[in-house]
Amino acid sequence: MTGLLAIDLLAVVIFALGFLLAFRPGVFRALRRRGADRERGVSEEVASALRIAGVMVMAFSLTICVFANLIVRYSAASAAAGS
């Protein structure tokens, strides 16, 4: 179960990074630059690509979380049933 909690925590961190990438790109860039206060505008194409990438990362993290939970629960149920 500790491994499952670690996977779930990793999925939450990845989801948060995807959210920042999709909906708060300025915060994401500031985190990457580590506090540089210079803000630069981006074109609409770049902003659209960041939104798409961020949503894809969020969906990937949810998929990791769901499949890890299903695998662990299924293996625990099959072990309890004696199969």
Side-chain angles (χ1 to χ4, degrees), residues 23-77:
F23 302 112
R24 302 281 188 244
V27 174
F28 184 78
R29 285 192 305 271
L31 286 174
R32 278 189 39 221
R33 280 192 303 243
R34 299 183 189 217
D37 55 334
R38 200 176 99 208
E39 186 62 33
R40 199 173 50 147
V42 295
S43 67
E44 187 60 34
E45 292 86 15
V46 173
S48 183
L50 287 175
R51 281 188 211 105
I52 292 169
V55 171
M56 288 175 62
V57 167
M58 290 189 305
F60 177 68
S61 69
L62 287 176
T63 304
I64 289 172
C65 186
V66 167
F67 278 123
N69 281 291
L70 285 176
I71 289 169
V72 168
R73 292 186 196 281
Y74 177 74
S75 63

